[in-house]
Amino acid sequence: MVNYTSPIYQGAIQRVDLQFYCRPLITQQQAQELETTELINKMYDGAADKLIVSILGHRNLSSEEIAKLKRLVEDLERGE
């Protein structure tokens, strides 16, 4: 079910004509960021680390995937 009051639908889509043609007003990346933030706030009390643990706790990661995640964390620490 779509929640039309979520941030993604508030100012994110514009109805263009009577045939209900819609066009995006924000990028896919912006939509993903908004929805991810909403998910983290609602389901994980605003703690992104809890989301990551939940996702990774249900998968067996390969050495390559673990290395990639480590690089991503290092990039975040450096502000990249």
Side-chain angles (χ1 to χ4, degrees):
M1 183 171 93
V2 176
N3 177 0
Y4 291 101
T5 61
S6 74
I8 189 151
Y9 293 103
Q10 294 176 3
I13 297 172
Q14 178 184 35
R15 185 174 176 168
V16 176
D17 58 37
L18 295 177
Q19 293 143 351
F20 203 71
Y21 171 77
C22 295
R23 66 181 180 99
L25 299 176
I26 61 174
T27 66
Q28 181 177 353
Q29 181 177 350
Q30 289 170 317
Q32 289 170 336
E33 289 171 4
L34 287 168
E35 289 297 316
T36 300
T37 299
E38 187 173 330
L39 173 70
I40 291 168
N41 289 337
K42 282 184 178 180
M43 301 299 295
Y44 299 96
D45 299 321
D49 58 331
K50 290 180 182 179
L51 170 64
I52 300 303
V53 168
S54 176
I55 292 169
L56 298 180
H58 300 290
R59 292 196 53 208
N60 291 324
L61 298 175
S62 68
S63 297
E64 293 82 19
E65 290 173 313
I66 292 169
K68 184 176 180 180
L69 289 170
K70 285 180 180 178
R71 284 191 301 274
L72 289 170
V73 169
E74 290 168 359
D75 290 348
L76 287 171
E77 288 176 335
R78 288 192 301 268
E80 295 178 12

